[in-house]
Amino acid sequence: MTDRPDHARRRTLRNLAALLFASTPLTIAAGRRAAIAATDRSINIGWQKGGSLAVIKARGALQQALASKGVSISWLEFPAGPQMLEALNVGSIDLGMVGETPPIFAQATAADLLYVGSDPPAPCAEALLVPKGSVIQHVADLRGKRVALNRGSNVHYLLVQLLQKAGLAYHDIEAVYLVPADARA
């Protein structure tokens, strides 16, 4: 990796982001490698099922637009935002879309990332789920129960807020940290 002045790196990232995501509102984090990728003529993009990037990937328009400019894309799927930001921090990907909470946790560990766009909030996109017929009817009913969640995710933050609102502390539940696919199972 070559060292570039910070303003030149940011200008390269802005130009790359404008080329990639013109008029598309996304929450995207770009790592130090993105500036280098612009000169390498290839870019690694992290994506998750169900996100806006999944739609962009499926349509193929971005790949076509960049291919016409001599830039290739590699799409790397991640189970969730925290894992994607780990990859971004170590330079395995150049761009990725995550929720609002994972970058806060990543930056708390001194991750070098840059925000280049955002989605509007979607508070109804996340929920606390229990099995059909469960005795758990209210958040307060979670006291002493096991709750599966992805550490450092939007769901983690949601759970903390719901517990607090219900008068419970985090230690009143047993947190089980799982990536989304494992939690579904």
Side-chain angles (χ1 to χ4, degrees):
M1 187 177 326
T2 59
D3 288 328
R4 300 177 73 178
D6 192 50
H7 69 279
R9 179 176 149 243
R10 291 184 188 280
R11 185 175 56 247
T12 301
L13 288 171
R14 277 194 307 271
N15 292 341
L16 181 61
L19 173 68
L20 293 176
F21 304 105
S23 76
T24 305
L26 298 171
T27 302
I28 307 231
R32 181 181 311 259
R33 190 183 167 320
I36 296 166
T39 59
D40 287 348
R41 311 303 288 170
S42 68
I43 187 162
N44 296 324
I45 301 177
W47 70 286
Q48 302 172 58
K49 289 180 181 172
S52 299
L53 282 180
V55 175
I56 292 170
K57 177 184 181 293
R59 287 185 178 162
L62 180 60
Q63 296 91 304
Q64 287 178 331
L66 290 177
S68 71
K69 299 187 181 312
V71 177
S72 65
I73 296 178
S74 293
W75 293 93
L76 300 147
E77 185 179 351
F78 287 85
Q83 294 80 11
M84 189 180 312
L85 289 179
E86 287 177 27
L88 182 76
N89 194 41
V90 299
S92 298
I93 61 172
D94 306 306
L95 294 171
M97 180 178 171
V98 298
E100 63 274 2
T101 304
I104 295 167
F105 282 100
Q107 288 178 306
T109 63
D112 182 23
L113 58 90
L114 173 70
Y115 294 85
V116 295
S118 67
D119 259 345
C124 295
E126 295 168 351
L128 184 63
L129 302 174
V130 296
K132 186 176 182 175
S134 173
V135 297
I136 299 169
Q137 298 296 310
H138 305 282
V139 175
D141 298 336
L142 292 174
R143 183 182 303 274
K145 304 291 188 215
R146 294 175 56 206
V147 180
L149 64 136
N150 191 22
R151 184 189 299 260
S153 67
N154 291 4
V155 174
H156 194 162
Y157 179 71
L158 173 67
L159 177 63
V160 168
Q161 294 300 306
L162 290 173
L163 292 171
Q164 185 177 40
K165 189 175 180 179
L168 297 176
Y170 197 71
H171 66 268
D172 289 330
I173 60 137
E174 181 185 343
V176 179
Y177 300 113
L178 299 172
V179 294
D182 292 342
R184 277 189 218 72

